[in-house]
Amino acid sequence: MARARSDSPLLFEMVEKPDFAIEAKAAANGLWPVAGMDEAGRGPLAGPVVAAAVVLDPNRIPEGLDDSKRLTLAQREALFEAILASAQGVAMASVSAEGIDRINILRASLEAMRRAVCGLPVRPKLALADGRDVPPDLPCEGRALIKGDQRSQSIAAASIVAKVMRDRMMAGCGSVHIHYGFEVHMGYATVRHRSAIDIHGPVARLHRTSFAPFRLGAVEVEE
């Protein structure tokens, strides 16, 4: 006899949505303001890594906050504007491709997040970081949350701000370096991007020459 099919979702089909529970618990313990911080652009072959720090207003949290990777372009753009209009504090910072080559991408990402927190107009008592690492030398207590952008609305907001700002920066690069298509792939290692590098070479101060495709290929950087 065939078994009845369950109408309950399987565990791996459930999509976790960020909420404000971590921030609310911290506030109840005297740790307020709470900032969420995240970065965008660790993987690309070109461009900066961009970080954002956001202190949400508990009474004006925009609807639909989520991990930026799970949102459409239109959703990210709308939420970006809503975050800037409603948050108690927003700050952004970046480390250039040259900086990434000098200190490595992990350290550059953490440094960008540290700078973003330090640039907030309000001084947080706690900063929540997406991932496994807490940026060193924060001006407050820091905590790392694995999949934090899917658990904390503050981190989700920071992920959206960082992603939108970096995409806009790369679109600007695309308007200057017209052969590479940065406005389309944002510096990631797509076929189009790799082909452009093969034909035109990497761009000085924009391509990350410490990354494997350049390091292994021993290509010269065009000024």
Side-chain angles (χ1 to χ4, degrees):
M1 180 176 178
R3 297 178 62 183
R5 185 179 181 88
S6 173
D7 62 354
S8 299
L10 297 176
L11 180 60
F12 58 80
E13 293 177 337
M14 297 175 66
V15 178
E16 191 171 19
K17 292 289 187 180
D19 58 30
F20 206 67
I22 296 170
E23 294 89 334
K25 183 176 180 180
N29 291 326
L31 291 175
W32 184 264
V34 177
M37 50 184 171
D38 202 359
E39 50 72 27
R42 285 184 63 164
L45 302 180
V49 59
V50 177
V54 176
V55 177
L56 291 173
D57 183 338
N59 299 312
R60 300 176 63 200
I61 298 175
E63 291 287 336
L65 291 177
D66 201 350
D67 173 2
S68 63
K69 296 182 291 296
R70 301 199 300 204
L71 299 171
T72 66
L73 171 61
Q75 288 172 327
R76 287 195 299 268
E77 289 284 348
L79 283 166
F80 176 85
E81 299 299 335
I83 292 163
L84 294 188
S86 63
Q88 293 183 356
V90 178
M92 292 154 268
S94 65
V95 174
S96 69
E98 288 181 303
I100 292 167
D101 288 338
R102 186 170 61 253
I103 64 175
N104 77 46
I105 185 59
L106 174 59
R107 290 172 61 191
S109 298
L110 297 176
E111 172 61 13
M113 286 193 282
R114 184 195 69 81
R115 293 179 187 177
V117 172
C118 290
L120 284 167
V122 293
R123 177 63 63 90
K125 290 187 178 180
L126 174 65
L128 304 173
D130 180 42
R132 298 178 180 274
D133 301 296
V134 176
D137 302 320
L138 288 173
C140 62
E141 180 182 339
R143 297 179 192 169
L145 295 176
I146 296 174
K147 293 188 177 180
D149 48 9
Q150 298 177 24
R151 299 168 59 191
S152 159
Q153 289 179 323
S154 298
I155 297 178
S159 79
I160 292 165
V161 172
K163 171 65 173 169
V164 170
M165 284 305 302
R166 187 179 188 281
D167 284 358
R168 291 180 179 182
M169 293 168 72
M170 294 309 296
C173 292
S175 67
V176 175
H177 303 284
I178 60 174
H179 302 297
Y180 295 86
F182 292 124
E183 71 281 3
V184 177
H185 53 66
M186 308 305 168
Y188 283 88
T190 63
V191 172
R192 175 179 178 180
H193 189 189
R194 286 178 174 272
S195 296
I197 293 169
D198 288 341
I199 296 169
H200 304 286
V203 180
R205 295 177 293 279
L206 184 58
H207 279 103
R208 303 173 182 180
T209 55
S210 62
F211 277 38
F214 304 108
R215 190 175 68 250
L216 298 178
V219 295
E220 294 185 0
V221 180
E222 295 294 333
E223 293 289 344

